[in-house]
Amino acid sequence: MELNEFVEKGHEVYLRHLSIDCVIMGFHDDQLKVLLLKWKENGQWCLPGGFVRKEDSLDTAAARILRERTGLQDIYLQQFHTFGDPARERHKEQFLWPRSMPPGSWMHDRFISVGYYALVEFSQVTPQPDLLTDECHWCDIHTVPDLIYDHNAILEKALETLRMRLNDYPVGLNLLPARFTMPELQRLYETILDMSLDRRNFQKKMLAFGILERLNERKTGGAHKAPYLYRFDRRKYEKALKQGLKFGF
Amino acid sequence: MELNEFVEKGHEVYLRHLSIDCVIMGFHDDQLKVLLLKWKENGQWCLPGGFVRKEDSLDTAAARILRERTGLQDIYLQQFHTFGDPARERHKEQFLWPRSMPPGSWMHDRFISVGYYALVEFSQVTPQPDLLTDECHWCDIHTVPDLIYDHNAILEKALETLRMRLNDYPVGLNLLPARFTMPELQRLYETILDMSLDRRNFQKKMLAFGILERLNERKTGGAHKAPYLYRFDRRKYEKALKQGLKFGF
DNA sequence: TATCATTGTGTTACTACGACACAATAACCC
DNA sequence: GGGTTATTGTGTCGTAGTAACACAATGATA
């Protein structure tokens, strides 16, 4: 679909005043990264987003948006909140291409946005901008710039949800390569939680979850003692995703 | 607003294809109750719901719906999920009053629904049906009938979310009267979790949270030993709602 | 006044968690 | 090739939290 067609006829294809925003996270260089897009019109950054086709479910729409930005299919995707403040799209007029946006276009509507976050394997992603943007890059979670609308708040809420889930559900299968070391897993947790953890206690806790399998192989090439390689036991991992890692009562 | 006006002109006031469904829960007779409405046209039961005015936020709309059904203001309200499967409104034609619903009405749209749950003090509620329903009653959570659309699934999701939150956040301030006994609080937890708990361990755990205050008064009138009365320390309760009761890492 | 269900208040064993110490090792450098 | 260095593997110990369990106190009832 071309930009013109999208602006003029999008409302025939998509549900009005409803959008989806995705917080796509990856892990690289011991840092948590988030995928951002750069708006054509004014150079500001935003989260990848899109709209819901009239015949699609929200989950389907989110999966499509993700596929279009990353090239990945079958991604771990989690709805976390729906944002519906009428004032959430601050300075919206700046983003509606004063030159090309017809005054009656559906893009001028107030939008309610459903937030999803995705955890992806960094190395597998091919970032791809969309119709409204000309750049698509990974950005370190600690140096995210001012984003358009309420996108900074959306990102924060996604992180908060992820941190919450960390207490009850495993994380890592979708963010790390198939085989990884315990220090790598620890640094993933440390960046998500934004705090440092005790190496020895962390290992004990992770192993106690019973979802890891130690391989008879060590990761060589580093400058120091070679750490063991681990992988997730996929069946137990999936089970933990459904049942949770612990019961409170 | 009258029914005719609502059906014919609602789309001028409300956002199209967007609704809100509320799971309103109360506690009475040692049982968790949920507020249900009975559809005028075919007698089926459903969750209280409503629509979002073009100028309102989702939270505002949910609060208004709640006020209209319960008479209560300043209610504890929590968004938990947005339901957007295009097939979620099964047998919708049954509910659209074949006699009175104009074919082009906005009510025929596919609706995406934002789910909220509310915890209210049972005795304070005056159930009130809406334009589309003629009855509004409390129903025991264990004997909920078949509801319209995907409302049973929405209710289940609300309960699941509430059970999750129970591990990290306090519950009770909004469901119990101002002064209550430890056995009452325990039965609240037991009905929500649908499991029985050890009396002594439950008390220790609750007191350890540090949000309860024991009064120098006992609840008399029961057939047996008079239990102490407690109340929540409102400041500490609010703090626990924000920070959570425990940190996982 | 005896009965009885229910409440208040422990104890004990076990597990989980945080703080901490020391030996092993892979690359590096002289 | 052997010492250096940063990092990894594995443990201990004290504390806090949890689950299972026992007995005395009490308030209405009979």
Side-chain angles (χ1 to χ4, degrees):
Chain A
M1 195 187 254
E2 288 301 313
L3 184 53
N4 274 355
E5 193 187 349
F6 175 77
V7 164
E8 285 166 26
K9 299 200 171 174
H11 64 278
E12 295 173 11
V13 178
Y14 301 106
L15 292 173
R16 291 194 83 133
H17 56 247
L18 187 69
S19 59
I20 285 182
D21 285 308
C22 293
V23 180
I24 305 173
M25 289 180 273
F27 190 62
H28 186 65
D29 279 345
D30 286 347
Q31 293 291 339
L32 198 61
K33 309 277 186 180
V34 59
L35 205 60
L36 296 181
L37 295 167
K38 195 174 181 186
W39 210 267
K40 277 178 184 169
E41 189 71 16
N42 64 1
Q44 275 201 262
W45 293 88
C46 67
L47 293 172
F51 307 97
V52 183
R53 280 193 222 273
K54 292 192 174 180
E55 70 278 11
D56 277 352
S57 74
L58 294 173
D59 290 352
T60 305
R64 173 176 48 79
I65 292 163
L66 239 107
R67 193 177 56 242
E68 290 171 357
R69 288 310 125 254
T70 64
L72 291 182
Q73 236 151 351
D74 297 324
I75 290 171
Y76 180 78
L77 202 53
Q78 177 90 15
Q79 185 194 306
F80 63 94
H81 194 73
T82 298
F83 301 85
D85 190 322
R88 57 176 288 270
E89 297 164 290
R90 60 194 163 94
H91 312 311
K92 184 166 183 174
E93 58 288 356
Q94 287 184 18
F95 306 97
L96 293 185
W97 322 281
R99 295 188 297 276
S100 62
M101 179 66 64
S105 166
W106 66 302
M107 294 294 289
H108 290 285
D109 284 357
R110 159 198 176 182
F111 275 83
I112 275 80
S113 197
V114 182
Y116 279 81
Y117 70 79
L119 306 177
V120 303
E121 212 172 308
F122 184 87
S123 64
Q124 309 264 324
V125 173
T126 317
Q128 191 109 37
D130 62 19
L131 277 179
L132 315 176
T133 57
D134 51 13
E135 287 184 43
C136 182
H137 296 301
W138 288 106
C139 175
D140 193 293
I141 205 82
H142 290 108
T143 60
V144 171
D146 257 4
L147 306 177
I148 71 166
Y149 301 166
D150 58 346
H151 283 198
N152 288 95
I154 293 178
L155 174 58
E156 262 318 303
K157 183 84 178 175
L159 269 174
E160 189 191 316
T161 308
L162 183 58
R163 286 193 187 116
M164 277 301 186
R165 274 185 73 87
L166 229 49
N167 292 329
D168 299 303
Y169 298 96
V171 163
L173 181 53
N174 319 282
L175 285 164
L176 294 170
R179 290 143 33 107
F180 52 89
T181 67
M182 192 61 77
E184 282 168 355
L185 182 61
Q186 181 177 344
R187 277 187 284 271
L188 170 59
Y189 271 74
E190 286 179 333
T191 19
I192 293 178
L193 290 167
D194 201 20
M195 65 192 289
S196 63
L197 302 168
D198 183 276
R199 190 170 59 87
R200 298 149 286 192
N201 296 333
F202 178 81
Q203 163 148 334
K204 265 181 288 182
K205 191 161 180 167
M206 281 297 139
L207 293 179
F209 285 158
I211 54 172
L212 285 177
E213 188 186 351
R214 194 171 87 175
L215 305 174
N216 280 326
E217 203 175 338
R218 301 167 103 108
K219 176 169 187 162
T220 166
H224 306 289
K225 181 170 179 177
Y228 279 107
L229 284 169
Y230 292 82
R231 70 170 167 220
F232 286 108
D233 181 321
R234 219 165 186 106
R235 262 190 51 212
K236 292 178 183 165
Y237 188 97
E238 306 282 356
K239 194 176 161 195
L241 263 190
K242 278 181 202 155
Q243 302 190 350
L245 290 166
K246 54 189 171 191
F247 298 107
F249 280 89
Chain B
M1 194 186 252
E2 289 300 314
L3 182 53
N4 273 356
E5 193 187 352
F6 174 75
V7 165
E8 283 166 26
K9 299 199 170 174
H11 64 279
E12 295 174 11
V13 179
Y14 301 107
L15 293 173
R16 290 194 84 137
H17 55 248
L18 187 69
S19 60
I20 285 182
D21 285 307
C22 293
V23 180
I24 305 174
M25 288 180 273
F27 190 62
H28 186 63
D29 278 345
D30 286 347
Q31 294 290 339
L32 197 63
K33 310 276 186 181
V34 60
L35 206 60
L36 295 181
L37 294 168
K38 194 175 181 184
W39 209 267
K40 277 178 185 169
E41 188 72 13
N42 64 1
Q44 274 199 262
W45 293 90
C46 67
L47 293 172
F51 307 97
V52 183
R53 280 192 223 272
K54 291 191 173 180
E55 70 278 11
D56 277 353
S57 73
L58 294 174
D59 290 352
T60 305
R64 174 176 48 79
I65 292 164
L66 238 107
R67 194 176 58 242
E68 290 171 356
R69 289 308 128 252
T70 64
L72 291 181
Q73 235 150 352
D74 297 325
I75 291 170
Y76 179 76
L77 204 52
Q78 178 88 16
Q79 186 196 307
F80 63 93
H81 194 74
T82 299
F83 300 85
D85 189 320
R88 57 175 288 268
E89 296 165 290
R90 60 194 161 96
H91 311 311
K92 184 166 183 176
E93 60 288 355
Q94 287 184 18
F95 307 98
L96 293 185
W97 321 282
R99 293 187 298 275
S100 61
M101 178 67 64
S105 165
W106 66 302
M107 293 293 289
H108 289 285
D109 283 358
R110 160 195 176 184
F111 275 82
I112 274 83
S113 197
V114 183
Y116 279 81
Y117 69 79
L119 305 177
V120 303
E121 212 173 307
F122 185 89
S123 63
Q124 310 263 325
V125 173
T126 316
Q128 192 109 35
D130 62 18
L131 277 180
L132 315 177
T133 57
D134 50 14
E135 289 183 44
C136 182
H137 295 300
W138 289 105
C139 175
D140 193 294
I141 204 84
H142 290 108
T143 60
V144 171
D146 257 5
L147 306 177
I148 72 166
Y149 300 166
D150 57 346
H151 284 199
N152 289 96
I154 293 178
L155 174 58
E156 261 319 303
K157 184 85 178 175
L159 270 175
E160 189 193 316
T161 308
L162 183 58
R163 285 193 190 117
M164 278 300 186
R165 274 186 72 89
L166 228 50
N167 292 329
D168 300 303
Y169 297 96
V171 164
L173 181 54
N174 319 280
L175 285 163
L176 295 169
R179 291 144 30 107
F180 52 89
T181 68
M182 193 59 77
E184 283 168 356
L185 182 62
Q186 181 177 342
R187 277 188 284 271
L188 170 60
Y189 272 74
E190 286 179 332
T191 22
I192 293 178
L193 291 167
D194 201 20
M195 66 193 289
S196 64
L197 302 168
D198 182 277
R199 192 169 59 87
R200 296 149 286 189
N201 294 333
F202 178 81
Q203 163 147 330
K204 266 181 287 183
K205 191 161 180 167
M206 281 299 138
L207 293 178
F209 285 158
I211 54 173
L212 286 176
E213 187 185 353
R214 192 171 88 174
L215 306 175
N216 280 326
E217 203 174 338
R218 292 162 178 264
K219 175 170 188 163
T220 166
H224 306 290
K225 180 169 180 179
Y228 279 107
L229 284 169
Y230 291 83
R231 71 172 168 218
F232 286 108
D233 181 321
R234 216 164 188 105
R235 262 192 48 215
K236 291 179 185 165
Y237 188 97
E238 307 281 354
K239 195 176 161 195
L241 264 189
K242 277 180 202 154
Q243 303 190 349
L245 289 167
K246 52 186 170 192
F247 297 108
F249 279 88

